[in-house]
């Protein structure tokens, strides 16, 4: 009797292991091509292109070495969000597991040729994500990690809405070539 129970347990363990076990499997973020649409929950994003060079961003900006990534962003929610809020869900990944936030003062939105700080519902905006670079740095490619926005109750209040944090899961990564020597 004991031998048959041990045999059944051994077969069950072997079958469970063969089919991937009972634990949750870690899922890697999707690797997405430039131009493909990534659904972050609150925003749908198409990473378009990247350039680097001595660039001047904005009226009061100075020309220095920067990495600029353009993305087409569509707010799928029912209220407007600031470009700065969108930036909270995007980071550059210079090395696996190392994340760098975009510069919130230089990054901006472009809507019909004019600068905007808002991303309105269902109105695509081109967002320039900016990272300052050391003078001698010219990356050949850049990987962006796009974090998932979650809809739910806030941790400290009864408010229900969209949120993203630095610990939110990465929903997709986009690696794209960087055009060097840009001047604007």
């Amino acid at each position: 009797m004991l031998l048959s129970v041990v045999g059944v347990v051994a077969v069950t363990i072997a079958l469970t292991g063969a089919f991937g076990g009972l634990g949750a499997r870690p899922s890697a973020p999707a690797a997405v091509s430039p131009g493909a649409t990534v659904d972050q929950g609150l925003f749908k994003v198409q990473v378009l292109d990247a350039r680097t060079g001595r660039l001047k961003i904005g009226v009061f900006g100075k020309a220095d070495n920067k990495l600029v990534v353009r993305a087409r962003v569509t707010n799928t929610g029912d209220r407007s969000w600031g470009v700065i809020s969108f930036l909270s869900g995007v980071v550059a990944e210079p090395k696996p597991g190392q994340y760098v936030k975009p510069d919130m003062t230089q990054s901006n939105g472009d809507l019909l040729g004019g600068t905007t700080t808002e991303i309105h519902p269902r109105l695509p905006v081109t967002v320039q994500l900016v990272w300052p670079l050391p003078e001698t740095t010219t990356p050949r490619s850049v990987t962006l990690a796009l974090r998932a926005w979650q809809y739910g109750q806030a941790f400290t209040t009864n408010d229900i809405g969209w949120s993203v944090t630095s610990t939110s899961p990465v929903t997709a990564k986009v690696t794209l070539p960087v055009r060097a020597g840009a001047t604007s």
Side-chain angles (χ1 to χ4, degrees), residues 30-38 45-50 69-72 140-144 146 172-178:
V32 179
S33 300
T37 300
V38 174
V45 181
Q46 292 175 289
V47 179
L48 303 173
D49 56 37
V69 176
R70 287 184 330 122
R72 182 174 297 114
R140 293 177 184 240
S141 65
V142 62
T143 298
L144 294 189
L146 303 170
K173 291 185 180 185
V174 181
T175 300
L176 61 158
V178 176

Side-chain angles (χ1 to χ4, degrees), residues 51 88 134:
R51 66 189 190 280
S88 298

